Amino acid sequence: MSETEHVADVAVIGGGLAGLTAARRVHDSGVDVRVLEARDRVGGRTNSREIDGEVVDLGAQWIGPGQNHVKGLVSEFDLDTFEQYVAGEATFRADGEFFRDSDPFEALGLPTQLNLLVAIKLIDRYGEQIPLDAPWEAPKAEHWDATTVATWRDRVVRTSAGRDAFDSIVRALFCVEPAELSLLYFLFYIRAGGGFDRITSVRGGAQQTRITEGAQAISQALADELGDRVHLEAPVERIEHGDDAISVQADGISVSADYAIVAIPPALAGRIEYDPAMPAKRDALTQRMPMGAVIKCVATYEEPFWRDRGLSGEVVDADGPVGLVFDDSPKGGETGSLVGFLVGNSSREWADDPAGRRESVLESFVEYFGPRAGDPEAYEDMVWENEEYSRGCYGGLCGPGAVTGVAEALREPVGRIHWAGTETATRWCGYMDGAVRSGKRAADEVSERVGVRQADEGVTAGTVD
Amino acid sequence: MSETEHVADVAVIGGGLAGLTAARRVHDSGVDVRVLEARDRVGGRTNSREIDGEVVDLGAQWIGPGQNHVKGLVSEFDLDTFEQYVAGEATFRADGEFFRDSDPFEALGLPTQLNLLVAIKLIDRYGEQIPLDAPWEAPKAEHWDATTVATWRDRVVRTSAGRDAFDSIVRALFCVEPAELSLLYFLFYIRAGGGFDRITSVRGGAQQTRITEGAQAISQALADELGDRVHLEAPVERIEHGDDAISVQADGISVSADYAIVAIPPALAGRIEYDPAMPAKRDALTQRMPMGAVIKCVATYEEPFWRDRGLSGEVVDADGPVGLVFDDSPKGGETGSLVGFLVGNSSREWADDPAGRRESVLESFVEYFGPRAGDPEAYEDMVWENEEYSRGCYGGLCGPGAVTGVAEALREPVGRIHWAGTETATRWCGYMDGAVRSGKRAADEVSERVGVRQADEGVTAGTVD
């Protein structure tokens, strides 16, 4: 195959938020950069599409307080935002029973409420003991990392409805089953998102605000700035890295550079061939951060009819195939839209059955919102675990033993290769904000090395931000 | 790159014991087969080398009672065997203290002994409740799969020496930390190896017998039969699979076939590009069976001097970098040899420091066997997690949630692709015997389909064994 060859100071692998943020930042510091993106679009795990005339996010979509880095980009690119609709009663189903309340927590009964309050208090108290840049150094790191979230839940939450609620929240936050998660990783992740209330809430929390143009618009704006430095449909297959240089080989294109920033999830980074091979810990890490599983399903309607019935559109369902639902109507709510999440094992059950999935999701919507929900104007969904260049969403997660065993390798550069991606973030890990932060960090690591080299060579480097 | 193209009925990916067994079996049934092996040698996770004039196994080396399938090959190829040396006292270290006894278990003190006896009894009793072909259907599957082996150990084993002993055994059996393992997978694996005593013992157990020519000789004999149907240095990069045919593309060679048998660990199978992509569950599985970590270290001496001091050479060390040691002297014991295993986190700590590793291992040998052990004739080791085409050893393992969540996909054919490898075995999973069994099963699955096709076409298929 004939290859186009490029030369740059820095090669960035992955054109999602992390990679594009990193690329823009090194570019702004006066450094030549090239971005290689496997897909035919930028934005990675954001994906905004027009459905039934409105922009819909089939990937990441919310931003909230404390996420100042992604918010900075939203402001900078003059994107419009609006609040997630959440007025009215939410719905919670467990043990086959529906609870409806403006605060569904109130409907759970006192023993369950107390139980969950204790659990939440412990999650936050334990979280405060975890150094976010080195969770393996927490005083109880070894014990917590040897415990699954399911085991801990059984110890702390005693009622059946409480366990159902707890599991639903875990699945909604992580897209895996509570059995799969290390308690240490779970505590770290929630702490990195500012604590339990902040990470789970709509108002005042991580689900507060939507972007009118769709979340992918951020990546698109970054890519527009970078222009032809971004190469699409260029899945990287091999990285040769020596003492003096890097050679990145993608399908049909190669980049010779001084440094590389790999800005894709560890599970995907592990599928690249490295020469020389990665150190043992780094390779083991790529085998130990499997991606969560989620199908995001959007149905559109002439109007958000549930609002008239006093329903917020929010559902947490411990029984059905759909784990979580939100009102997904566009700003102003002139038309209606619902977004449902199939998460964890349920996602994989339905991943390879598009027709059955649509039927099952709409049946669930009817159970929550009545017969009108069964007859949408349009229906579309996205199976993230079937995406060759994501292999799951929202992100890569640590099962027991991985944080204390191999997570040190997450951000540790290997020779001239640096690592970005939301999985490497120490704040808002797993979120768009974490992706942006990680891109900035990796860019600064590399810019400093390029600056030192250029200074050595008597070249004036651009200002490093 | 110019490619050599071959046409066959069946393409086998992986020239280890599983792949070669499968290939030989379909070949014997009159079916055209090609084997693509990534390395420049066959044998996969067996690797027999001459060190200091004697054959030494740096990979899998033992066979034992109940392993009739690998034993069948040993007999068929007329390989010589001898018993693992184990006469004399074994050594156990925990809490900085050495225990020496012909049965080190006796030296542990009564409370610890009773504790461990209860644990072993439970392991076997629970194991009997697990259907080996569908461990996810065990009555307590969900609970066991949500529990780490470390959590279960803390519940069942109360003394510090007992926990150290337990952990050492887990590491020696699995090459991972007890925190990383699903209790369900642990119980399944031990049951698949005939129970706790059988899987952990030398006499009467899985470490009973060695092969004089080295374990790799089995694969070599299989490969000799297959002749130029085995292609070395042909790492498979891509498998296209349609309704009618398969195309397997390796570096420099491609095979068009009717069926494929992928006989490599799930973690490696996941790094192949499939078109169309794998179903969600299969891909998730490849992200959820990380390889264990082990460095096998062999030191040779003029004579097995520890035998004269009444020591068997067997060591279980809960404190040092070396977890497990055996007398590795050749048949007859005219010269001496010790083999040490660095397992789990200890293996990764030392993986990228060859000089420090040698020093540390020999220091440990001196602690066990005196100063003579520090001055070997030769020293050699093999870091299995640094092997590009193994990425760890002994095998791929399930953390919590994986067996109940995705393990159904282990053996389930995807279109024309079938799966082999010791990880897919229902007896002696993780052992050479499991590899051979898995190869036979996959061969029979494929031969049946080829036979049906040939019958349809009016061709007489060879006899299917």
Side-chain angles (χ1 to χ4, degrees):
Chain A
M1 179 179 305
S2 74
E3 285 207 346
T4 316
E5 290 188 25
H6 295 276
V7 177
D9 294 314
V10 178
V12 173
I13 291 90
L17 261 180
L20 293 169
T21 298
R24 205 264 294 249
R25 196 167 174 94
V26 295
H27 172 65
D28 284 354
S29 73
V31 168
D32 276 344
V33 67
R34 291 277 166 179
V35 179
L36 297 173
E37 163 56 41
R39 289 183 167 97
D40 60 2
R41 61 169 184 83
V42 295
R45 288 171 268 175
T46 59
N47 186 18
S48 311
R49 281 194 213 158
E50 199 160 304
I51 300 177
D52 196 22
E54 303 287 351
V55 173
V56 167
D57 271 313
L58 289 171
Q61 79 180 107
W62 288 290
I63 57 178
Q67 301 186 349
N68 298 327
H69 292 256
V70 67
K71 280 186 173 176
L73 292 178
V74 168
S75 303
E76 184 188 339
F77 295 128
D78 228 358
L79 298 173
D80 187 49
T81 62
F82 64 107
E83 301 306 276
Q84 169 64 36
Y85 186 85
V86 76
E89 289 191 333
T91 303
F92 173 58
R93 177 161 68 173
D95 280 339
E97 210 182 326
F98 279 104
F99 304 87
R100 284 222 158 101
D101 203 299
S102 60
D103 182 357
F105 186 73
E106 295 294 324
L108 285 172
L110 198 60
T112 293
Q113 281 180 50
L114 289 174
N115 234 212
L116 289 176
L117 282 176
V118 168
I120 291 165
K121 199 149 205 163
L122 287 176
I123 288 169
D124 284 335
R125 191 193 300 158
Y126 293 164
E128 284 165 18
Q129 300 169 27
I130 296 178
L132 293 177
D133 58 347
W136 50 87
E137 288 177 359
K140 290 197 168 182
E142 205 187 326
H143 176 63
W144 288 339
D145 202 31
T147 306
T148 67
V149 170
T151 292
W152 187 76
R153 170 209 62 203
D154 285 347
R155 278 186 208 146
V156 175
V157 186
R158 315 300 305 184
T159 71
S160 165
R163 288 180 181 176
D164 276 356
F166 183 93
D167 288 0
S168 294
I169 293 164
V170 172
R171 287 193 198 99
L173 276 179
F174 294 91
C175 300
V176 297
E177 302 299 314
E180 293 183 65
L181 275 180
S182 151
L183 177 61
L184 177 60
Y185 188 77
F186 169 85
L187 296 169
F188 153 78
Y189 189 96
I190 291 173
R191 179 68 188 154
F196 186 86
D197 271 357
R198 175 145 290 185
I199 209 168
T200 57
S201 295
V202 175
R203 286 183 183 136
Q207 286 68 236
Q208 180 170 282
T209 303
R210 292 171 55 195
I211 299 163
T212 309
E213 296 86 349
Q216 197 184 349
I218 308 171
S219 292
Q220 194 54 61
L222 288 164
D224 289 347
E225 276 198 11
L226 289 161
D228 59 11
R229 291 171 194 85
V230 179
H231 302 269
L232 301 179
E233 299 184 85
V236 169
E237 291 159 358
R238 186 177 159 84
I239 301 179
E240 292 169 16
H241 58 118
D243 289 342
D244 302 321
I246 291 253
S247 168
V248 180
Q249 286 143 37
D251 195 6
I253 180 173
S254 71
V255 178
S256 298
D258 291 330
Y259 301 97
I261 295 174
V262 175
I264 57 179
L268 297 183
R271 296 182 188 202
I272 293 174
E273 186 186 350
Y274 301 89
D275 183 15
M278 287 294 102
K281 230 179 224 185
R282 170 76 206 173
D283 190 76
L285 173 77
T286 67
Q287 297 182 41
R288 281 164 174 80
M289 285 195 82
M291 305 295 286
V294 57
I295 306 174
K296 216 174 159 187
C297 312
V298 174
T300 63
Y301 305 91
E302 266 185 38
E303 51 183 9
F305 57 87
W306 51 91
R307 294 184 183 179
D308 299 335
R309 292 173 45 204
L311 297 175
S312 67
E314 188 180 354
V315 182
V316 174
D317 188 349
D319 293 344
V322 181
L324 189 71
V325 181
F326 281 103
D327 183 315
D328 204 41
S329 309
K331 186 176 185 177
E334 281 173 27
T335 62
S337 174
L338 292 167
V339 57
F341 293 76
L342 309 188
V343 283
N345 284 345
S346 170
S347 178
R348 276 188 293 267
E349 291 302 330
W350 292 101
D352 300 308
D353 178 9
R357 183 167 76 227
R358 181 186 196 278
E359 197 182 319
S360 172
V361 168
L362 292 179
E363 268 172 23
S364 294
F365 284 5
V366 167
E367 290 186 276
Y368 313 139
F369 304 111
R372 277 188 75 179
D375 187 27
E377 300 288 307
Y379 171 92
E380 199 153 334
D381 58 25
M382 186 150 179
V383 183
W384 282 93
E385 58 269 35
N386 284 351
E387 287 283 299
E388 181 173 5
Y389 299 116
S390 291
R391 305 279 182 160
C393 265
Y394 320 130
L397 303 159
C398 289
V403 176
T404 50
V406 295
E408 264 181 4
L410 251 179
R411 285 179 299 277
E412 181 71 25
V414 177
R416 292 171 166 268
I417 304 177
H418 292 247
W419 312 101
T422 191
E423 285 81 3
T424 71
T426 56
R427 295 299 311 273
W428 291 107
C429 176
Y431 288 75
M432 290 191 279
D433 193 65
V436 174
R437 289 171 191 255
S438 79
K440 289 182 178 178
R441 174 195 44 75
D444 291 349
E445 289 169 6
V446 166
S447 291
E448 197 180 314
R449 293 177 74 175
V450 174
V452 168
R453 187 212 63 194
Q454 291 182 336
D456 285 351
E457 290 169 0
V459 177
T460 308
T463 312
V464 177
D465 183 17
Chain B
M1 178 179 305
S2 73
E3 285 207 346
T4 316
E5 290 187 25
H6 295 275
V7 177
D9 294 314
V10 177
V12 173
I13 291 89
L17 261 180
L20 293 169
T21 298
R24 205 264 295 248
R25 196 167 173 95
V26 295
H27 172 65
D28 284 353
S29 73
V31 169
D32 276 344
V33 67
R34 291 277 166 179
V35 179
L36 297 173
E37 164 55 42
R39 289 183 166 96
D40 61 1
R41 61 169 183 83
V42 295
R45 288 171 268 176
T46 59
N47 186 17
S48 310
R49 282 195 213 158
E50 198 160 304
I51 300 177
D52 196 21
E54 302 287 350
V55 173
V56 168
D57 271 313
L58 288 171
Q61 80 181 106
W62 288 290
I63 57 179
Q67 301 185 350
N68 298 327
H69 292 257
V70 67
K71 280 186 173 175
L73 292 178
V74 168
S75 303
E76 183 188 339
F77 295 128
D78 227 359
L79 298 172
D80 186 49
T81 62
F82 64 107
E83 301 305 276
Q84 169 64 36
Y85 186 85
V86 76
E89 289 191 333
T91 303
F92 173 58
R93 177 161 69 172
D95 279 339
E97 209 182 328
F98 279 104
F99 304 87
R100 283 224 158 100
D101 204 298
S102 59
D103 182 357
F105 187 73
E106 295 293 324
L108 285 171
L110 198 61
T112 293
Q113 282 180 50
L114 289 175
N115 235 212
L116 289 175
L117 282 176
V118 168
I120 291 165
K121 199 148 206 164
L122 287 175
I123 288 168
D124 285 336
R125 191 192 301 157
Y126 293 164
E128 283 164 18
Q129 300 169 28
I130 296 178
L132 293 177
D133 58 347
W136 49 87
E137 288 177 359
K140 290 196 167 183
E142 206 187 326
H143 176 62
W144 287 340
D145 202 31
T147 306
T148 67
V149 170
T151 293
W152 187 76
R153 169 209 62 204
D154 285 347
R155 278 187 207 145
V156 175
V157 185
R158 315 300 305 184
T159 71
S160 165
R163 287 180 181 176
D164 277 356
F166 183 93
D167 289 0
S168 294
I169 293 165
V170 172
R171 287 193 198 98
L173 276 179
F174 294 91
C175 299
V176 297
E177 302 299 314
E180 292 184 65
L181 274 180
S182 152
L183 177 61
L184 177 60
Y185 188 77
F186 169 85
L187 296 169
F188 153 77
Y189 189 96
I190 290 173
R191 178 67 188 155
F196 186 86
D197 271 356
R198 175 146 289 186
I199 209 168
T200 57
S201 296
V202 175
R203 286 185 184 134
Q207 286 69 235
Q208 180 170 284
T209 303
R210 292 171 55 195
I211 298 163
T212 309
E213 296 86 350
Q216 197 184 348
I218 309 171
S219 292
Q220 195 53 61
L222 287 164
D224 289 347
E225 277 198 11
L226 290 161
D228 59 11
R229 291 172 194 85
V230 179
H231 302 269
L232 301 179
E233 298 184 85
V236 169
E237 290 159 358
R238 186 178 159 84
I239 301 179
E240 293 170 15
H241 57 118
D243 290 341
D244 301 321
I246 292 253
S247 167
V248 180
Q249 287 144 37
D251 196 6
I253 180 172
S254 71
V255 178
S256 298
D258 291 330
Y259 301 97
I261 295 173
V262 175
I264 57 180
L268 297 183
R271 296 182 189 203
I272 293 174
E273 187 186 349
Y274 300 89
D275 183 15
M278 287 294 103
K281 229 179 227 186
R282 170 75 206 175
D283 190 76
L285 172 77
T286 67
Q287 297 183 41
R288 282 165 174 80
M289 285 195 83
M291 305 295 286
V294 57
I295 306 174
K296 216 174 160 187
C297 312
V298 174
T300 63
Y301 305 91
E302 266 184 38
E303 51 182 9
F305 57 87
W306 51 91
R307 295 184 183 179
D308 299 335
R309 293 174 45 203
L311 296 175
S312 68
E314 188 181 355
V315 182
V316 174
D317 188 349
D319 293 344
V322 181
L324 188 71
V325 181
F326 282 103
D327 184 315
D328 203 41
S329 309
K331 186 175 185 177
E334 281 174 28
T335 63
S337 174
L338 292 168
V339 56
F341 293 75
L342 309 187
V343 283
N345 284 345
S346 170
S347 178
R348 276 187 293 267
E349 291 303 331
W350 292 102
D352 301 309
D353 178 9
R357 183 167 75 228
R358 181 186 197 279
E359 197 182 319
S360 173
V361 168
L362 292 178
E363 268 172 24
S364 294
F365 284 6
V366 168
E367 289 186 277
Y368 313 139
F369 304 112
R372 277 188 75 178
D375 187 27
E377 300 288 308
Y379 170 92
E380 199 153 334
D381 58 25
M382 185 148 180
V383 183
W384 283 93
E385 58 269 35
N386 284 351
E387 287 284 300
E388 182 174 4
Y389 299 116
S390 292
R391 306 278 182 162
C393 265
Y394 320 129
L397 303 159
C398 289
V403 176
T404 50
V406 295
E408 265 181 3
L410 251 179
R411 285 179 298 277
E412 180 71 25
V414 177
R416 293 171 166 268
I417 305 177
H418 292 246
W419 312 100
T422 191
E423 285 81 4
T424 70
T426 57
R427 295 298 312 273
W428 291 108
C429 176
Y431 288 75
M432 290 191 279
D433 192 65
V436 173
R437 289 171 192 254
S438 80
K440 289 183 178 177
R441 174 195 45 75
D444 291 348
E445 289 170 6
V446 166
S447 291
E448 196 180 315
R449 292 176 75 174
V450 174
V452 168
R453 187 211 63 195
Q454 290 182 336
D456 285 351
E457 290 168 0
V459 176
T460 308
T463 312
V464 177
D465 184 17

